[in-house]
Amino acid sequence: MPPTVLAVIPARGGSKGVPAKNLAPVAGVPLVARAVRESLAARHVTAVVVSTDDEYIADVARAAGAEVVQRPSEIAGDTATSEAAVLHAMDVYEARYETEVDVVLLVQCTSPFLTGEDIGGVAGAVAEDGADSALTVAPFHGFVWRDGHSDAHPAATDTAAATATDATAAATASRGSYGVNHDKAFRPRRQDRPQDLLETGAAYAMSAAGFRAAGHRFFGRTDLVRTDPARTLEVDDPHDLARARALAPLLDAPGSSRPTFADLDAVVLDFDGTQTDDRVLIDSDGREFVSVHRGDGLGIAALRRSGLKLLILSTEQNPVVAARARKLRLPVLHGIDRKDLALKQWCEEEGVAPERVMYVGNDVNDLPCFGLVGWPVAVAGAHDVVRDAARTVTTAEGGFGAIREIAAWLLGPSLTVPTGPATTATTGPATTGTTGSGTTGGNP
């Protein structure tokens, strides 16, 4: 039988540095949910438990797929140790399932870029490779210094003071900074120095029996599991959280920031360059024509049937926008100078929280709306600034199925929705003009 490997994520409700820290979203996903997601994806892990004293954290943890252990108040305060939370969670889990845990993991949700591979690495070091304990570390090449205003300064010891020519010299020496992992008089090249490894504080693994006996996470043979130093970040204050949010588009796996159907109440779509290829064809009478995609029409129809609130929001005052909206049976606001103000008012009127709105755009006039909603999405081919500001980017370009792709994120590839049968997409652009009904013909 494979060993029972229990991942425990301590996530108490109180936090002084960042209020409600464990619920703080990074790339739209609360820190605790990110930790659950990666723990569930890790090899060897049998079950994932979140230890918390907070009902909101518990709800988010369950929604992410974890079990919850209610943490007693006596081990939930500022002075409580992670070890105490892990021991308690392990006891509860074993009693709940009448089983014995072989390996227990401590996974810190304050490390937003911890990966399932990292967690599986420390689990495997104990479960497979015979280590008693293991932790994630990152290569570190820096010279570490310590301020001299410390009793730990070598010059402040009795021996150092005895070798000084007088008391003044000893006092001066004790105030000078000094090298911790190097001699400041000798500066070898990086390749000539021993490899230092920095504890990341992200993931630890322990044999359950050894952990119970030792009462702390390091005992016996401790193995080091090397991780990517670029991912080493612990969220302890608001500046750390801001850095995590800035780095998420670079470090998160493609698609990991895509919303699910449960994340949204509304989808708001820009028109030109998002539902079209951003070209305008003008005939000799000045009438404008744009190219749209039949697959987008199918995707929008499925989203409409799903019960999500939908809106087309466009800066252009152009009959073709209204014509397309009529064809898709969507409400439309067009000829709007301040799209963000219009969007905010629409959310208030519809009773929709902006953080549960996806806004899809392609150019700089969409950026104010990106800053308002919880799920800003850029289509492929969008302006670089817009792509950088988006939480995720489609693989299809505007006018070539980008909205169909988004519908598939939310409803699955077949666009199956709760109130209707699966819908099959067709491909190929169609043309919408301002004359007649403005319909594309065929599918919506």
Side-chain angles (χ1 to χ4, degrees):
M1 291 290 292
T4 299
V5 179
L6 178 66
V8 179
I9 303 171
R12 65 186 183 90
S15 176
K16 292 181 178 178
V18 181
K21 174 172 65 177
N22 293 316
L23 290 173
V26 171
V29 182
L31 287 173
V32 66
R34 291 174 70 95
V36 170
R37 178 186 69 193
E38 298 305 320
S39 296
L40 290 171
R43 62 191 178 96
H44 302 298
V45 172
T46 306
V48 179
V49 166
V50 171
S51 169
T52 187
D53 60 334
D54 185 281
E55 61 177 309
Y56 298 107
I57 292 175
D59 288 344
V60 170
R62 290 190 188 98
E67 296 190 44
V68 172
V69 167
Q70 183 68 34
R71 196 189 309 187
S73 58
E74 57 267 25
I75 59 170
D78 291 341
T79 60
T81 65
S82 296
E83 281 85 353
V86 172
L87 284 167
H88 174 261
M90 186 165 59
D91 288 343
V92 171
Y93 181 85
E94 289 184 336
R96 183 180 291 174
Y97 292 101
E98 298 181 348
T99 189
E100 185 174 328
V101 173
D102 299 300
V103 179
V104 64
L105 310 182
L106 165 58
V107 178
Q108 301 281 28
C109 56
T110 50
S111 295
F113 302 117
L114 174 68
T115 67
E117 184 178 358
D118 297 335
I119 298 167
V122 294
V126 177
E128 286 186 332
D129 301 337
D132 299 297
S133 53
L135 70 151
T136 51
V137 296
F140 175 72
H141 303 286
F143 289 113
V144 178
W145 289 80
R146 186 165 296 160
D147 196 307
H149 296 276
S150 169
D151 292 339
H153 192 303
T157 65
D158 291 340
T159 302
T163 60
T165 56
D166 53 43
T168 301
T172 301
S174 70
R175 289 196 298 269
S177 298
Y178 62 97
V180 174
N181 65 342
H182 68 287
D183 181 346
K184 66 181 182 181
F186 177 60
R187 305 281 288 187
R189 299 177 305 167
R190 188 174 77 175
Q191 58 266 39
D192 296 330
R193 303 197 309 266
Q195 174 67 79
D196 290 318
L197 297 167
L198 181 70
E199 182 177 337
T200 68
Y204 305 83
M206 300 79 73
S207 74
F211 181 54
R212 288 190 190 281
H216 54 82
R217 69 189 79 172
F218 301 122
F219 53 89
R221 190 187 107 196
T222 300
D223 280 7
L224 306 179
V225 176
R226 287 166 171 77
T227 64
D228 182 358
R231 295 181 174 274
T232 302
L233 174 63
E234 290 186 87
V235 176
D236 290 321
D237 61 40
H239 300 292
D240 297 328
L241 184 59
R243 282 194 291 273
R245 288 168 172 167
L247 288 169
L250 301 176
L251 297 179
D252 280 351
S256 62
S257 295
R258 291 176 185 170
T260 66
F261 182 78
D263 294 320
L264 298 176
D265 292 328
V267 176
V268 178
L269 305 171
D270 175 42
F271 187 72
D272 290 312
T274 300
Q275 298 180 61
T276 78
D277 62 5
D278 219 15
R279 296 184 306 155
V280 177
L281 305 179
I282 304 174
D283 68 10
S284 59
D285 295 323
R287 293 176 298 181
E288 295 186 359
F289 298 82
V290 297
S291 177
V292 297
H293 197 277
R294 293 189 189 278
D296 284 348
L298 287 169
I300 289 171
L303 291 173
R304 190 181 65 242
R305 291 195 302 271
S306 76
L308 288 170
K309 294 181 183 296
L310 301 175
L311 173 70
I312 295 176
L313 182 58
S314 176
T315 303
E316 290 293 324
Q317 179 67 56
N318 193 322
V320 74
V321 181
R324 181 61 174 164
R326 286 195 301 271
K327 170 68 178 179
L328 298 173
R329 289 185 285 161
L330 294 186
V332 59
L333 296 173
H334 61 123
I336 304 295
D337 291 330
R338 287 291 304 275
K339 296 171 73 173
D340 55 329
L341 296 182
L343 177 56
K344 183 177 180 180
Q345 181 176 347
W346 181 81
C347 288
E348 292 173 352
E349 292 172 351
E350 296 292 330
V352 175
E355 60 268 23
R356 292 186 56 81
V357 174
M358 175 194 285
Y359 182 91
V360 187
N362 77 303
D363 216 330
V364 293
N365 63 344
D366 296 310
L367 290 175
C369 291
F370 272 28
L372 178 65
V373 303
W375 291 94
V377 174
V379 296
H383 191 284
D384 288 346
V385 172
V386 178
R387 290 170 59 91
D388 290 344
R391 283 181 60 175
T392 191
V393 180
T394 64
T395 57
E397 295 189 1
F400 290 90
I403 310 305
R404 170 64 170 81
E405 179 183 335
I406 290 169
W409 295 351
L410 304 178
L411 305 174
S414 62
L415 302 184
T416 302
V417 297
T419 56
T423 311
T424 303
T426 59
T427 58
T431 300
T432 296
T434 60
T435 57
S437 65
T439 62
T440 60
N443 293 312

